[in-house]
Amino acid sequence: YSVQAITQLNSIGGLCPMNCSYPNGVCTPVYSADSVDIEIDNTLGGKGSSIQAPVTAPSKSNMQCKCSKGFAGHMCEGKLETLVLDQAYRGDLAPADWIYFMLELPAGEKGYVESGLKLSLKKAGGYPVLLSKKTDIPMLLDNDFIFPTGHELDAESQFLVESKDLSPGRYYMGMFNMDYYTHSLCSFELHVSLSEVDIMMFNPTMSIVLGVLSSMFLCLFMSVCKRMFYRTTGGRFGPNGIRGGVVIDNVPHGVALNDRNNAAHGLTAEQINAFPQVSYVEGMFEKEDA
């Protein structure tokens, strides 16, 4: 076995967390950017010349991890790989492990990213969390983009970042196999490419708009069909002469149920004249007292 010892000249507080996942990295002091003037004896110019020298004593919290080549992260906990556009990266990620990717986005002819960024993630097992950040290593609580992943993620998922949210330069992506719901190895394949489609076809807002428009069109279509049906049948259908939901039992003779013109005007003049008639004669009724 081996034992690593770290010595300190001054009391500067705690060292780096997890000892920078040694040997992935080493814990080093970060010297202050302040400087002091030191008077020196210049044999040519005499006294009075000075140089700028860094302050050698680190402050209390100025200790950080210096990762070895091929590693990255706050504690140098993950491998750092180069991700190339239109090339797939395949690998395995153990539970609670990180892996980082470095991606260069080129500028278009107009000086900015003219296409969206399309990410395709295939996975088997594990609980992957995928996130990204510009010019710096992303963390769970410090990132620019976090993509919706989880233990119930489909075997293949696609994500799209719009061009307006991107800028030319270096991006770092991180994938973390969260050892929570699923405790297993995550085998994955990550493919990144530029996409001419700048917006997603079905984002949440578009889904709501399409749902409302579809409902309005369906209501309008049903209303038109109902009006055409009543106009064709004259509002009557069924063997008992149903009209508007009311059963007409006593349909006058000679009135056909399918003859809308006759039924719509009620009884004919001949049928009305066949009713008993009484002619009014003045004085046939007694007058009421005023």
Side-chain angles (χ1 to χ4, degrees), residues 29-48:
V30 179
Y31 294 101
S32 172
D34 297 334
S35 60
V36 294
D37 290 335
I38 302 176
E39 294 258 340
I40 62 174
D41 205 357
N42 194 324
T43 56
L44 296 178
K47 267 194 171 184

Side-chain angles (χ1 to χ4, degrees), residues 31-32 83 115 122 129 150 197 200 227-228 236 274 279 284:
Y31 294 101
S32 172
L83 200 60
S115 302
K122 298 179 182 179
V129 178
V197 181
M200 298 185 70
R227 292 181 67 87
M228 293 180 62
R236 304 178 308 279
S279 301
M284 64 183 302

Side-chain angles (χ1 to χ4, degrees), residues 105 113 144-145 160-167 171 198:
L105 283 185
V113 179
D144 294 334
F145 304 101
L160 181 67
V161 182
E162 299 183 20
S163 59
K164 65 179 182 180
D165 297 323
L166 299 171
S167 60
Y171 281 83
D198 199 25

